[in-house]
Amino acid sequence: MHRSTGQATLEFLLLAGLAAVLTIGLGAALASGAAASTADALRRALRPPSPAHDDTWAIGSATWAPLIRRYAPLVVLERDRYGEDASVPVDFARCRARKCARFGIARSVVYVHLVRRPDAAYIHYWFYYPDSRTTHLPDAGLGTHRDDWEGMIVRLAADGAAARATAHGGLAGAGPWWATAPGWRPIGPRPVLYRASGSHANGFTQADIDVAGDRWNGTLGDVTPTFIAADAARSLRRRFDPAASPPWMKRLWRDPNAAGTGSDGTQGREVAAARAWAAAREGLGGLTR
């Protein structure tokens, strides 16, 4: 009887050790870029999640928490030329006014959402700002509205990590958000994300945050936001300006490969206009403003 109990205990320890090795192996495979082992690890990890496997679970998961931290962006903030906007991404449950979202004062946060598919995993990083102004003009500029949501999505697959970032209803990736096919941009740990003043559009270079030819106005500073589970934020059922749909109302929430940030996954009207301007500017020999 004593021998049988000891054998069961040994088998349990072996199984526990195997589970730990598999968990550690997923993070190591993704970090090393070993395509075959990464694909196998993802195939095991991306099984259909149970109802308990939500965003709150992901942030605390031994498997996913290290990956969420690894690919969380460093957000570099553009300085507003009029000094109107110094907002950092904040927790909307605590702050929905520009005065409490100022750089150097406010706690910077990012809402994290995990989507798992058979061949890839997608980590969403969503930022909330109290307001938005599409132009660089002071208050009452074109496109001014309350509330603003912008974000970045990281795709983890057998071929490594890649990302897209939201801007003006479009998505920047390997190319700017107005490109015909921006695609996904290969990234490493802690990617740098440039954030425009006013509109809060995102890009992976300083030249990609607004229309072609727009110049970076200088750096206000940078922030590394802390994590909040996006599904927990969704459960608060807060209302936002009709011009600023929260991420859970976008098709991107469930379909990270959607073409744009609209509720139906389409691009905003600004994309077509910016594309036409880029083409015209190229035809004029790269004329700058």
Side-chain angles (χ1 to χ4, degrees):
M1 195 70 182
H2 176 74
R3 181 179 179 181
S4 176
T5 301
Q7 182 177 352
T9 301
L10 178 60
E11 291 173 350
F12 172 79
L13 291 174
L14 288 172
L15 288 172
L18 178 59
V21 168
L22 288 174
T23 299
I24 295 170
L26 172 59
L30 287 171
S32 66
S37 60
T38 298
D40 290 341
L42 278 171
R43 196 171 294 113
R44 289 191 296 270
L46 303 183
R47 292 169 181 165
S50 74
H53 289 180
D54 55 12
D55 299 335
T56 301
W57 166 83
I59 289 176
S61 164
T63 298
W64 294 106
L67 295 172
I68 291 170
R69 291 194 298 270
R70 181 179 180 83
Y71 293 105
L74 174 69
V75 184
V76 180
L77 310 173
E78 183 184 29
R79 184 178 67 244
D80 190 294
R81 70 188 62 176
Y82 298 101
E84 291 278 330
D85 180 29
S87 296
V88 301
V90 292
D91 178 1
F92 67 79
R94 297 176 177 271
C95 174
R96 297 188 69 173
R98 196 186 300 172
K99 63 182 180 181
C100 61
R102 291 189 63 82
F103 175 71
I105 297 175
R107 169 177 171 254
S108 178
V109 307
V110 60
Y111 295 90
V112 176
H113 176 54
L114 176 64
V115 177
R116 293 184 284 170
R117 296 289 181 260
D119 58 348
Y122 301 86
I123 304 174
H124 292 231
Y125 299 92
W126 288 100
F127 308 107
Y128 169 82
Y129 300 92
D131 66 356
S132 175
R133 290 173 295 111
T134 301
T135 69
H136 287 290
L137 298 174
D139 285 330
L142 178 65
T144 298
H145 56 77
R146 291 188 57 212
D147 306 314
D148 194 22
W149 286 97
E150 299 288 354
M152 183 184 85
I153 301 174
V154 173
R155 181 185 69 195
L156 302 176
D159 59 353
R164 298 197 296 170
T166 68
H168 303 293
L171 290 155
W177 59 275
W178 60 83
T180 303
W184 290 81
R185 185 182 188 89
I187 61 167
R190 296 299 307 281
V192 175
L193 194 66
Y194 294 94
R195 202 261 357 237
S197 63
S199 69
H200 308 133
N202 297 308
F204 295 104
T205 74
Q206 294 177 349
D208 292 348
I209 56 173
D210 282 313
V211 297
D214 185 72
R215 297 172 181 171
W216 182 258
N217 194 54
T219 300
L220 173 68
D222 59 69
V223 293
T224 302
T226 56
F227 305 135
I228 294 179
D231 56 6
R234 180 186 186 183
S235 69
L236 296 177
R237 300 182 181 277
R238 297 292 174 86
R239 293 182 179 273
F240 300 96
D241 191 291
S245 298
W248 46 88
M249 298 296 291
K250 303 178 187 295
R251 182 172 173 176
L252 278 170
W253 177 264
R254 62 186 185 281
D255 179 12
N257 289 299
T261 64
S263 59
D264 57 355
T266 57
Q267 298 175 337
R269 291 175 295 178
E270 297 90 347
V271 177
R275 187 175 297 146
W277 163 249
R281 184 174 178 275
E282 183 177 352
L284 292 172
L287 179 67
T288 58
R289 59 183 178 87

